Amino acid sequence: MTGEPKINHASSDSATMLEKMEILDVEKVINEFEAMTKDAENVQRETLKKILEENGSAEYLQNLGLHGRTDPESFKACVPLVTHQDLEPFIQRIADGPPASILTGKPITNISLSSGTTQGKPKFVPFNDELMETTLQIFRTSYAFRNTEFPIKNGKALQFIYSSKPSRTKGGLFAGTATTNVFRNSQFKNAMKAMQSQCCSPDEVIFAPDFHQSLYCHLLCGLIFREEIQSVSSTFAHSIVHSFRTFEQVWEELCADIRQGVLSSRITFSSVRSAMAKLLKPNPELADLIHRKCSGLSNWYGLIPELFPNVKYIYGIMTGSMEHYLKKLRHYAGDVPLLSADYGSSEGWIGANINPKVPPESTTYAVLPNIGYFEFIPLKVNAEEQVQDKVDASFISMEPKPVGLTEVKVGEEYEVIVTSVAGLYRYRLGDVVKVMGFHNSTPELKFVCRRNLMLTVNIDKNTEKDLQLAVEEAAKLIAEEKLEVIDFSSHVDLWTEPGHYVIFWEISGEVRDQVLEECCNCLDRSFVDAGYVSSRKVNAIGPLELRVLRRGTFHKILDHYLGLGAAVSQFKTPRCVGPTNHKVLQILCDNVAKSYFSTAF
Ligand code: AMP
């Protein structure tokens, strides 16, 4: 490829026709979405019926006594709520082969590896054509709404997307991260073309065996096509921030490559080198321009629009554990809007962001009622009741009954249960969401946190969200010194008596001890959960400990997960590291530069 083939708009009528046909009919997508969400309850019934009819012959469903019934009432009566652990033996048999109808009617052909940041090791989940179709439907839906507010021209997208190390299961099934399964699918490229969002990098870069080389080339491709770039994206915001932090390190090398038209020797894979050779030509003017622009920036503020003058927005999942990266992302973005991408998981998609103008902190996701069958376990929001729950263990086992998609209530929090098109039935996803409103009759959900990610010593209960808020508060103290928390994690140390919370911080520079002592106290005070505060007051929980890490520690953690087969596109820093996640805990503990204990109580 000497540059991607340029579409000549005036070349011929038929070419223009073809081009028009290829572009997604945004109005049609929105109309279909509107119609479907007005009738969410029926669409849910129909979706469940379709899933059960298509998979009724699967061994799992056969054994549950449905006898061909497909109505929600029979389904709920016969099929138990399950976790990944319950389904693991079934999924393992699918992975081990031979092909059989175990969870789905048609045998599963691909396995997705979920990011595994929660459990410490990737989980296997089934992936099939039907799941691919729902993925594209989500992409189309949010694109249709996005493009109405932020229209893009037929340019290119700088997408920091990567493939995981491809592998085969014992039974010969392809195993990769869910995003890898999506990017490998032939339909993905066509869909991106239809959404005018074709990746500016060649496939060899996306599928390069080494993520560092892939990232360098993504940046280089972005610069080569800088005028055409309409959007900058990745699956998760973490990866976008990581990319531009890397840019800060390698920008002069990138300029040198562009100046000479010769790729840096750091790129060693011949497939990548030859793909890049087709794009890279000596261009001293471009190199000078980028050099000038970068040199003119103050602390890299507004880097993205400086590099890509026609960028319309930055796109990626920015809610939940990604919120921490928003500050840095805004710094790079200057006045370019940040738009959060959709809500889903390797197990299946849930909702689309149909209000792209809303800032990421307030983004909600409208559930698509035809991409799965959804149920919701009501959770209590009242802190006192939560404390009571902990004390009264028998109460905990009496979990409230799940309600249907259209039965959820505004303002309440729920755990999400998914019945997917890929063989998961009444599967507890482990995510907590809050219903913020309804779009027609489908709920708009705000992502709250992972349910099992919890700091707890005794009656205290602090979620990932509580941790994020505490870190945000304490980080203000170092922001006064123009420093930032690059990344953070936590752990409950029960080796000490009493147990205590440990917060790990990687900071962008040196901070005085006195300031870090204040940060530590501020963290301790910021956990306002009634159980925590009362336990701290009577020393039933020990003083919070802030451990400051050496620079690069979170890179080591990322590399560790990549080594396990994860892909950067799907990476989420583990916010709470459990005692069984030995390796990550070891990386954290081996890299502590300083540690402080709170004197707040
Ligand atoms: P994975 O299984 O690696 O695909 O990760 C899926 C998990 O990522 C979900 O269960 C959520 O916890 C989280 N996630 C996905 N989409 C979002 C989103 N839009 N906002 C917040 N968290 C998300």
Side-chain angles (χ1 to χ4, degrees):
M1 275 190 286
T2 40
E4 300 259 311
K6 282 227 161 67
I7 299 169
N8 183 349
H9 291 262
S11 60
S12 75
D13 280 356
S14 59
T16 317
M17 279 283 286
L18 190 69
E19 193 191 325
K20 271 192 186 147
M21 276 165 55
E22 275 180 358
I23 291 178
L24 190 71
D25 185 343
V26 162
E27 218 179 291
K28 185 166 166 255
V29 174
I30 293 182
N31 288 341
E32 280 169 7
F33 176 80
E34 291 298 336
M36 187 169 62
T37 52
K38 280 181 184 148
D39 196 21
E41 193 183 340
N42 277 326
V43 175
Q44 277 283 274
R45 259 181 190 272
E46 285 306 308
T47 305
L48 179 65
K49 184 166 174 246
K50 189 161 171 261
I51 291 174
L52 295 179
E53 279 173 359
E54 280 175 9
N55 301 300
S57 61
E59 172 196 313
Y60 183 79
L61 289 178
Q62 284 281 314
N63 289 339
L64 293 172
L66 273 165
H67 304 302
R69 286 171 297 167
T70 61
D71 59 289
E73 295 70 28
S74 310
F75 177 65
K76 287 179 201 171
C78 297
V79 179
L81 294 177
V82 289
T83 62
H84 186 270
Q85 211 178 356
D86 299 319
L87 293 185
E88 217 161 3
F90 296 92
I91 302 177
Q92 196 59 51
R93 277 176 51 217
I94 293 173
D96 292 347
S101 282
I102 296 174
L103 288 172
T104 48
K106 265 191 292 175
I108 291 289
T109 50
N110 282 34
I111 290 287
S112 288
L113 304 169
S114 82
S115 54
T117 30
T118 319
Q119 265 82 28
K121 65 175 181 15
K123 293 181 293 194
F124 277 8
V125 289
F127 184 91
N128 60 7
D129 289 345
E130 288 75 11
L131 201 57
M132 181 67 201
E133 187 42 47
T134 61
T135 306
L136 295 178
Q137 198 197 332
I138 278 270
F139 286 1
R140 286 188 203 109
T141 306
S142 54
Y143 171 80
F145 284 92
R146 192 161 73 245
N147 212 48
T148 311
E149 306 279 8
F150 302 95
I152 52 173
K153 297 202 197 85
N154 208 358
K156 292 190 192 304
L158 171 55
Q159 296 177 328
F160 295 103
I161 55 178
Y162 309 90
S163 153
S164 58
K165 248 192 278 171
S167 63
R168 296 261 166 203
T169 65
K170 195 171 146 204
L173 272 58
F174 179 90
T177 54
T179 43
T180 305
N181 279 323
V182 171
F183 303 150
R184 278 178 81 238
N185 194 294
S186 58
Q187 291 191 56
F188 176 70
K189 262 199 174 163
N190 293 337
M192 286 297 129
K193 232 187 257 174
M195 293 178 224
Q196 301 168 288
S197 310
Q198 260 185 298
C199 182
C200 68
S201 308
D203 279 357
E204 290 81 351
V205 168
I206 301 170
F207 295 100
D210 177 82
F211 143 73
H212 302 281
Q213 298 193 20
S214 185
L215 166 55
Y216 185 89
C217 292
H218 277 314
L219 289 168
L220 195 52
C221 292
L223 296 178
I224 294 170
F225 295 111
R226 68 183 285 274
E227 300 268 352
E228 293 170 63
I229 300 296
Q230 300 279 305
S231 62
V232 172
S233 68
S234 188
T235 312
F236 287 101
H238 166 270
S239 160
I240 310 177
V241 168
H242 181 90
S243 305
F244 288 101
R245 281 194 199 277
T246 306
F247 181 88
E248 289 186 29
Q249 313 292 321
V250 299
W251 69 282
E252 285 177 302
E253 203 173 325
L254 290 164
C255 286
D257 289 6
I258 294 173
R259 185 179 311 283
Q260 286 146 19
V262 179
L263 189 61
S264 158
S265 60
R266 70 163 73 216
I267 309 301
T268 54
F269 292 99
S270 58
S271 59
V272 182
R273 289 198 73 86
S274 53
M276 288 303 294
K278 293 177 189 155
L279 302 177
L280 191 60
K281 302 283 169 268
N283 191 341
E285 296 78 34
L286 179 60
D288 285 343
L289 179 76
I290 295 166
H291 203 282
R292 236 186 359 260
K293 286 190 174 289
C294 290
S295 310
L297 291 175
S298 161
N299 196 23
W300 302 100
Y301 178 81
L303 172 64
I304 295 176
E306 220 31 57
L307 295 179
F308 312 110
N310 296 312
V311 71
K312 303 289 183 300
Y313 51 79
I314 296 161
Y315 188 64
I317 293 172
M318 296 177 186
T319 43
S321 64
M322 295 298 136
E323 268 185 46
H324 173 71
Y325 309 104
L326 286 175
K327 196 163 171 226
K328 189 68 181 173
L329 197 51
R330 285 210 168 92
H331 183 84
Y332 287 133
D335 54 7
V336 180
L338 305 185
L339 277 57
S340 184
D342 307 311
Y343 171 35
S345 68
S346 308
E347 287 89 340
W349 285 94
I350 296 157
N353 177 4
I354 59 163
N355 299 304
K357 278 201 161 159
V358 169
E361 288 85 348
S362 314
T363 295
T364 57
Y365 303 100
V367 181
L368 270 67
N370 73 337
I371 57 171
Y373 182 74
F374 301 101
E375 294 169 78
F376 297 85
I377 300 179
L379 303 174
K380 277 177 218 69
V381 280
N382 185 307
E384 273 170 36
E385 279 179 57
Q386 284 188 6
V387 174
Q388 184 55 37
D389 275 6
K390 273 248 145 189
V391 176
D392 185 357
S394 61
F395 195 80
I396 254 181
S397 57
M398 284 170 46
E399 191 127 56
K401 273 211 177 83
V403 298
L405 179 73
T406 54
E407 293 164 340
V408 293
K409 294 203 174 73
V410 175
E412 305 256 312
E413 292 189 358
Y414 298 89
E415 181 189 336
V416 182
I417 298 170
V418 178
T419 294
S420 81
V421 293
L424 305 179
Y425 308 95
R426 308 196 82 204
Y427 176 95
R428 295 176 76 150
L429 198 57
D431 287 345
V432 177
V433 294
K434 184 170 182 176
V435 179
M436 304 306 285
F438 279 86
H439 181 89
N440 297 321
S441 57
T442 203
E444 293 195 297
L445 310 175
K446 184 174 172 55
F447 180 89
V448 178
C449 59
R450 299 276 313 160
R451 193 172 182 188
N452 59 355
L453 263 189
M454 195 87 77
L455 284 165
T456 177
V457 172
N458 48 53
I459 59 161
D460 53 313
K461 210 178 193 183
N462 279 299
T463 66
E464 178 186 1
K465 183 77 193 170
D466 301 317
L467 171 66
Q468 184 209 324
L469 293 174
V471 170
E472 250 170 43
E473 199 52 39
K476 285 180 188 160
L477 299 168
I478 62 164
E480 288 165 13
E481 319 236 328
K482 302 242 169 319
L483 291 168
E484 54 178 319
V485 176
I486 294 178
D487 222 329
F488 65 96
S489 190
S490 67
H491 171 65
V492 170
D493 187 346
L494 295 174
W495 289 101
T496 54
E497 181 53 46
H500 69 285
Y501 290 10
V502 179
I503 311 293
F504 297 94
W505 272 13
E506 185 175 326
I507 307 176
S508 58
E510 281 296 312
V511 188
R512 284 174 297 124
D513 283 342
Q514 191 198 343
V515 178
L516 287 168
E517 280 159 14
E518 281 172 39
C519 290
C520 182
N521 287 347
C522 178
L523 282 167
D524 206 4
R525 276 193 301 265
S526 299
F527 289 105
V528 289
D529 158 65
Y532 185 74
V533 177
S534 56
S535 301
R536 280 290 289 122
K537 279 184 182 157
V538 297
N539 203 32
I541 297 179
L544 180 142
E545 184 183 357
L546 171 61
R547 295 190 193 163
V548 179
L549 301 167
R550 292 193 197 96
R551 283 296 295 275
T553 306
F554 282 99
H555 259 192
K556 289 184 186 165
I557 292 175
L558 172 65
D559 283 339
H560 161 69
Y561 279 107
L562 296 185
L564 290 178
V568 181
S569 338
Q570 243 172 291
F571 179 74
K572 299 178 250 348
T573 297
R575 291 290 182 229
C576 180
V577 182
T580 54
N581 198 348
H582 302 292
K583 185 65 199 168
V584 172
L585 203 53
Q586 193 187 341
I587 298 173
L588 289 168
C589 294
D590 287 351
N591 285 282
V592 176
K594 288 175 179 174
S595 121
Y596 303 86
F597 281 93
S598 161
T599 51
F601 288 86

